[in-house]
Amino acid sequence: MLNYDLAYLTPVLALGYMAPGAKPLGLKKGGGFVIFLALITGLAVIFTEMFLAYAMVFMPLLILILLWIYYSDKLPITVKLFSLMSLIIIPFVSIDSGLIGSYVASKLVLNAFMAVALSQFVFWVFPICEADFPYEKKESEIKKQSENERLRYALNIMIIIVPVLLFFYMFKLSSSMLVLIFIAILSISPALSNPKVGLVMIVANVLGGIFGIIAYNLLVMVPNFVFMMLVTLSVGLFFGNRLFSDRKTAGIYGSGFSTFLLILGSVTSSDAEAGDEVWSRLIQIGVAVIYVVVAFGILERLEKVNMKKET
């Protein structure tokens, strides 16, 4: 409704603060998050201005920083996601102009602030209750990965993401940032190394895309803000019902809802031909999802073959 730039990223970032098992941040912790995220974004801008023009320095440093973020278990998942988005988006939109990178950085910080503020407002309206306790327990019972597991996961991610970064850098594809954004969102989940989970991920994201197209076409017929909110609420209930469930693949539906929000938000906030945009965004997200899932699947098979040879 405020229609600030990149506003469609706000609900996607906010989902991390309202996921199953999440708790209210509080004023101090929430403010600390925003300050930390602003610092990360500022460092991403400085890093870009210093090294972007020197490919042989820029790419190795970027790869090392991303490797550390994926490897680290010290950062909360939402901070990890925002850090990845900042380090991936800001340098690549700065290829055309450094001013664009600084502008996008300021908008990312605004989106982070809005995501934290609005998600905590939701907790104020709907306080934690008994129905949330099972999810909090599940969250605390999640097994921590060992250093070797985290390193293996981080290296696999870099094998997947580096070719994409090089491709975007060499051909200056700053207009297709949605692919990089979604690869960052998807790659944050180690569960994708399971081929079955990967297949469900594709289905969930395709479903999110289909719902996005249906919602867009409904809005063409009824271009009304209240109607858009009701459509979004209905789709949210559909995905939320599956996200907050006992299914093994429950977490995947959060990504499917992210797809829906990205498509609907980016199209409704665009000045371009929205009808063309909705299909373009769906194709970009589809390419990102299929690439990540297939790449994970190939790596998993290669690792199994190597293990058989060793034994």
Side-chain angles (χ1 to χ4, degrees):
M1 188 168 63
L2 295 175
N3 198 31
Y4 51 89
D5 289 336
L6 302 180
Y8 57 87
L9 288 180
T10 294
V12 176
L13 291 170
L15 287 179
Y17 295 104
M18 298 186 291
K23 296 179 182 178
L25 293 176
L27 186 61
K28 186 178 178 181
K29 197 172 181 180
F33 263 136
V34 175
I35 293 170
F36 185 69
L37 298 177
L39 182 63
I40 290 171
T41 307
L43 291 173
V45 172
I46 294 169
F47 170 75
T48 301
E49 289 178 353
M50 290 178 65
F51 300 113
L52 185 62
Y54 310 101
M56 297 303 291
V57 179
F58 169 72
M59 287 308 300
L61 283 176
L62 179 62
I63 290 167
L64 283 172
I65 295 168
L66 293 176
L67 180 65
W68 179 82
I69 291 173
Y70 282 113
Y71 170 77
S72 174
D73 61 350
K74 306 297 181 186
L75 301 174
I77 191 71
T78 45
V79 174
K80 261 192 178 186
L81 177 58
F82 187 87
S83 302
L84 289 169
M85 289 178 69
S86 296
L87 283 164
I88 288 173
I89 296 171
I90 292 170
F92 288 93
V93 297
S94 299
I95 290 174
D96 296 326
S97 169
L99 291 175
I100 297 175
S102 300
Y103 179 76
V104 169
S106 65
K107 296 306 173 185
L108 281 174
V109 173
L110 174 61
N111 275 277
F113 169 75
M114 294 299 288
V116 171
L118 293 173
S119 60
Q120 301 317 296
F121 174 74
V122 169
F123 277 114
W124 179 72
V125 176
F126 302 103
I128 292 287
C129 62
E130 288 184 15
D132 297 298
F133 296 159
Y135 302 105
E136 288 182 27
K137 189 177 178 183
K138 280 182 186 177
E139 191 71 14
S140 62
E141 287 174 353
I142 293 175
K143 186 184 176 184
K144 240 186 170 183
Q145 289 184 307
S146 67
E147 287 189 10
N148 287 336
E149 287 174 331
R150 286 188 285 117
L151 181 60
R152 173 177 163 270
Y153 160 66
L155 289 172
N156 283 347
I157 289 293
M158 297 318 297
I159 291 170
I160 292 169
I161 205 171
V162 167
V164 181
L165 295 177
L166 289 171
F167 183 76
F168 270 70
Y169 185 80
M170 287 188 297
F171 293 99
K172 300 182 178 181
L173 300 177
S174 56
S175 60
S176 300
M177 277 298 102
L178 202 60
V179 174
L180 286 179
I181 291 171
F182 225 73
I183 285 176
I185 292 172
L186 295 175
S187 61
I188 207 77
S189 172
L192 275 175
S193 57
N194 184 326
K196 290 181 180 178
V197 173
L199 184 61
V200 175
M201 172 70 84
I202 293 175
V203 173
N205 280 279
V206 168
L207 200 60
I210 291 170
F211 273 94
I213 292 169
I214 293 171
Y216 164 73
N217 285 296
L218 288 172
L219 288 171
V220 169
M221 293 185 287
V222 188
N224 180 277
F225 181 76
V226 174
F227 181 69
M228 185 180 78
M229 290 295 98
L230 292 173
V231 169
T232 306
L233 174 63
S234 301
V235 176
L237 289 172
F238 174 81
F239 281 97
N241 185 46
R242 285 152 181 78
L243 176 62
F244 288 86
S245 69
D246 293 326
R247 304 180 187 194
K248 291 182 180 178
T249 55
I252 303 300
Y253 288 93
S255 181
F257 192 46
S258 295
T259 303
F260 168 79
L261 292 172
L262 277 174
I263 288 177
L264 187 64
S266 61
V267 170
T268 52
S269 63
S270 173
D271 294 327
E273 286 294 325
D276 297 330
E277 284 283 303
V278 70
W279 286 105
S280 171
R281 301 296 163 90
L282 179 59
I283 291 168
Q284 287 181 36
I285 290 174
V287 167
V289 174
I290 292 170
Y291 172 76
V292 172
V293 171
V294 170
F296 260 120
I298 292 171
L299 283 174
E300 187 73 11
R301 287 199 173 189
L302 288 173
E303 285 183 352
K304 285 181 179 178
V305 169
N306 287 333
M307 285 175 66
K308 283 181 180 179
K309 285 181 179 178
E310 288 175 4
T311 54

